Amino acid sequence: MSLISEPIASFSPLYEQIKAMILASLQASEWLPGDAIPSEMELAARYAVSQGTVRKAIDELAAQNLLIRRQGKGTFVATHQEEDFQYRFLRLEPDSGEKLHLKNQFLACENIPSDPYIARLLKIKPGDSIIRIDRIQSSAGRPIAFEEIWLPEARFKGLNLEMLNAWPGPMYAFYESEYATHMVRAEEKIKAVLAGSDLAKYLQISEGAALLSVERVAFTYGNKPVEIRHARYDTNGQHYDNKLN
Amino acid sequence: MSLISEPIASFSPLYEQIKAMILASLQASEWLPGDAIPSEMELAARYAVSQGTVRKAIDELAAQNLLIRRQGKGTFVATHQEEDFQYRFLRLEPDSGEKLHLKNQFLACENIPSDPYIARLLKIKPGDSIIRIDRIQSSAGRPIAFEEIWLPEARFKGLNLEMLNAWPGPMYAFYESEYATHMVRAEEKIKAVLAGSDLAKYLQISEGAALLSVERVAFTYGNKPVEIRHARYDTNGQHYDNKLN
DNA sequence: CAGTGGTCTAGACCACACT
DNA sequence: GTGTGGTCTAGACCACTGC
């Protein structure tokens, strides 16, 4: 593979061009999640700019959680395998403030044609094949969340129930190691809804109880949407935690 | 007033010390929201460091939304009076994606002794005097949110219904201009709840409908909690929008 | 035009991790 | 010790704003 070392956009500050080139290398899997990228000096040489300029580019990518700096060791591509990133997108926490430990139970994993709604969110054509997964998450033996997940089949070929059941960690670590797909950011829309009979059964609560509905679109490099999730949380004993800055 | 120009903490990088000193000046109201702070060169002279070091300090404060840089003009203290910051902490938006325009109706504003729960959140003593405000917010004539707000009376002396009704803009702009209190960040805990008879009446919905419950603690400079809010949103037609990075 | 923030460089030195 | 990122400096020049 040829190294990416020529500007991509026509004009902007140098460090923006460097950012774009580093991003392109990430997207092209030149460096994989967990890997160290070349040192600042090496990148400065490669792009023919000063170390300070590379530094500013890396600083901004690190601020977006795409890279992780480790003094004395190097700069690494962010990965959901790491301790700190394991539950990076999980905002649910017990009212007590402790850390939530969730256990998975997968109910279904089927291959279906996409309806127009999911297709629009995933930016694929209606009718294109997608994978739909259902799961229940429990904390201390109590079911807390019911989730439906939709994935474009083209990217997640062969994904099935056995693989999911065999995987010990978080979903996003699974996508990364099995499908070379690293999630970079996500958007959520939150509502309050009433439990119907199905949800009541899954979550062992009474019909008509209030549930938190969270619809998430998750994106990989290049703002590409690659996962839709619709979660329903029982917020009795836990809540969705958010910081506003 | 004597200028703050001596280190506050004992050791850390220079730019961290500069950050702390700028922060102290903000907290001490040496520069007010909306004001320009001294230029990078002036601050560099004042703190006896290079411009680059001041720059890094300001960069980080700007990243936290405490300062705003405007090329060619200067660096300004962030204010909720500004267009962009008006609804900085409002995450509710119509499902259509348009901008929400809310109208206020204040129901009550009373002076009461603090219960232990609110006291703990505000870091005051139980029994200390607090102000409690109730309001309904409507969009296009439809009530959408019911909010209870608690403020420490010591900081918000004399606040009453007439003042609230006379104020045209957002609450946080009001706190800023009338009580020299600028909100810097906030934390929210979100749950789904069922509407009781009171909420059903206020929001013109049926009892037992699902509502989003949002408990917010808002902080001013120095991580000082100065406002508690408990909102109940009708998420029929609008949702709480969140970005995860 | 002068004054502000924004970019870029080159070089010195520090703090930390590995071996 | 060597190599990594982290801090700090000094100086040049660019881009934008407002007089």
Side-chain angles (χ1 to χ4, degrees):
Chain A
M1 183 193 309
S2 74
L3 294 185
I4 293 161
S5 65
E6 288 300 318
I8 289 173
S10 60
F11 205 75
S12 49
L14 255 184
Y15 74 86
E16 287 288 356
Q17 299 176 39
I18 309 295
K19 263 176 71 175
M21 288 190 281
I22 293 176
L23 219 32
S25 288
L26 290 172
Q27 198 166 348
S29 296
E30 181 183 337
W31 310 308
L32 297 175
D35 283 1
I37 69 171
S39 74
E40 295 180 353
M41 287 310 240
E42 286 178 274
L43 290 175
R46 165 161 164 185
Y47 301 130
V49 298
S50 78
Q51 191 214 10
T53 301
V54 169
R55 198 170 171 71
K56 172 140 186 166
I58 292 178
D59 276 347
E60 299 204 349
L61 294 171
Q64 291 167 63
N65 291 317
L66 293 172
L67 298 176
I68 305 191
R69 293 173 160 291
R70 297 213 193 106
Q71 183 170 161
K73 295 206 221 174
T75 300
F76 299 78
V77 182
T79 169
H80 291 277
Q81 315 280 355
E82 291 291 323
E83 184 74 38
D84 314 349
F85 276 66
Q86 292 270 126
Y87 293 102
R88 187 169 141 209
F89 293 147
L90 180 63
R91 289 288 180 277
L92 206 66
E93 75 171 34
D95 294 340
S96 64
E98 288 147 29
K99 235 177 65 185
L100 200 58
H101 205 21
L102 292 174
K103 211 173 139 300
N104 277 330
Q105 181 194 353
F106 291 96
L107 304 182
C109 176
E110 52 172 1
N111 225 293
I112 57 173
S114 169
D115 65 52
Y117 178 70
I118 298 292
R120 193 175 53 76
L121 292 177
L122 285 176
K123 291 187 182 152
I124 59 177
K125 288 197 298 293
D128 278 6
S129 185
I130 56 176
I131 297 165
R132 183 208 139 119
I133 300 167
D134 285 2
R135 71 163 165 177
I136 291 173
Q137 293 182 290
S138 306
S139 162
R142 247 185 80 220
I144 278 186
F146 174 77
E147 281 189 331
E148 300 173 272
I149 302 176
W150 293 269
L151 302 166
E153 204 255 343
R155 179 179 285 259
F156 294 92
K157 267 202 204 326
L159 200 164
N160 60 45
L161 250 189
E162 292 72 52
M163 293 167 72
L164 292 172
N165 282 318
W167 186 262
M171 288 293 258
Y172 289 170
F174 173 76
Y175 297 156
E176 221 173 69
S177 86
E178 302 303 309
Y179 294 98
T181 298
H182 171 77
M183 298 302 184
V184 161
R185 63 180 192 88
E187 295 176 359
E188 297 191 326
K189 294 184 199 296
I190 306 173
K191 292 191 177 228
V193 299
L194 296 177
S197 59
D198 286 0
L199 284 168
K201 194 185 63 190
Y202 290 137
L203 296 174
Q204 298 171 21
I205 52 175
S206 48
E207 223 175 305
L211 294 175
L212 206 64
S213 157
V214 180
E215 284 194 49
R216 174 191 295 177
V217 184
F219 301 83
T220 188
Y221 297 119
N223 275 324
K224 193 170 180 50
V226 286
E227 186 208 47
I228 312 298
R229 260 184 210 213
H230 188 180
R232 273 52 155 275
Y233 294 120
D234 178 354
T235 53
N236 229 288
Q238 47 275 330
H239 60 268
Y240 186 103
D241 195 83
N242 200 23
K243 317 275 184 224
L244 312 176
N245 292 301
Chain B
M1 185 194 307
S2 72
L3 292 185
I4 293 163
S5 65
E6 288 301 318
I8 288 173
S10 61
F11 206 76
S12 50
L14 255 183
Y15 74 86
E16 287 289 357
Q17 300 176 39
I18 309 294
K19 263 176 73 176
M21 287 190 282
I22 294 175
L23 219 33
S25 289
L26 291 172
Q27 197 166 349
S29 296
E30 182 183 338
W31 310 307
L32 297 175
D35 283 1
I37 70 170
S39 74
E40 294 179 353
M41 286 310 238
E42 286 177 275
L43 289 174
R46 166 161 164 185
Y47 302 128
V49 297
S50 76
Q51 192 214 11
T53 301
V54 168
R55 200 173 169 70
K56 172 138 186 169
I58 291 178
D59 276 346
E60 298 204 349
L61 293 171
Q64 292 168 60
N65 291 317
L66 293 173
L67 298 176
I68 305 191
R69 316 189 79 131
R70 298 213 194 105
Q71 183 171 160
K73 295 206 221 174
T75 300
F76 299 78
V77 182
T79 168
H80 291 278
Q81 315 280 354
E82 292 290 324
E83 183 73 40
D84 314 350
F85 276 65
Q86 293 269 127
Y87 293 102
R88 190 171 138 207
F89 293 148
L90 180 63
R91 289 289 179 279
L92 205 66
E93 74 171 35
D95 293 341
S96 64
E98 289 147 28
K99 233 176 64 183
L100 199 59
H101 205 22
L102 292 173
K103 211 173 137 299
N104 276 330
Q105 182 193 352
F106 291 97
L107 303 181
C109 176
E110 51 172 2
N111 225 293
I112 57 171
S114 167
D115 64 52
Y117 179 70
I118 298 292
R120 192 175 54 76
L121 292 177
L122 286 177
K123 292 185 182 153
I124 58 177
K125 288 197 299 292
D128 278 6
S129 186
I130 56 176
I131 297 165
R132 182 208 139 115
I133 300 166
D134 284 5
R135 72 164 166 176
I136 291 173
Q137 294 182 289
S138 306
S139 163
R142 244 185 82 222
I144 277 187
F146 173 77
E147 280 189 333
E148 299 172 274
I149 302 176
W150 293 269
L151 301 166
E153 204 255 343
R155 180 181 284 259
F156 294 92
K157 269 203 201 325
L159 200 165
N160 59 44
L161 252 189
E162 293 72 51
M163 293 167 72
L164 292 171
N165 281 318
W167 185 262
M171 286 294 257
Y172 289 169
F174 173 76
Y175 298 154
E176 221 173 69
S177 84
E178 302 302 309
Y179 294 97
T181 298
H182 171 77
M183 298 301 184
V184 161
R185 64 180 192 87
E187 295 176 0
E188 296 191 327
K189 293 184 198 295
I190 307 172
K191 291 190 176 228
V193 299
L194 296 177
S197 59
D198 285 0
L199 284 167
K201 195 184 62 188
Y202 289 137
L203 296 174
Q204 297 172 22
I205 53 177
S206 49
E207 223 175 303
L211 294 175
L212 207 63
S213 156
V214 180
E215 284 194 48
R216 174 191 295 176
V217 183
F219 300 82
T220 188
Y221 296 120
N223 275 325
K224 194 171 180 47
V226 285
E227 187 208 48
I228 312 298
R229 263 185 208 210
H230 188 181
R232 274 45 156 283
Y233 295 119
D234 178 355
T235 53
N236 228 290
Q238 47 276 331
H239 60 269
Y240 185 103
D241 195 83
N242 200 23
K243 317 274 185 226
L244 311 177
N245 293 299

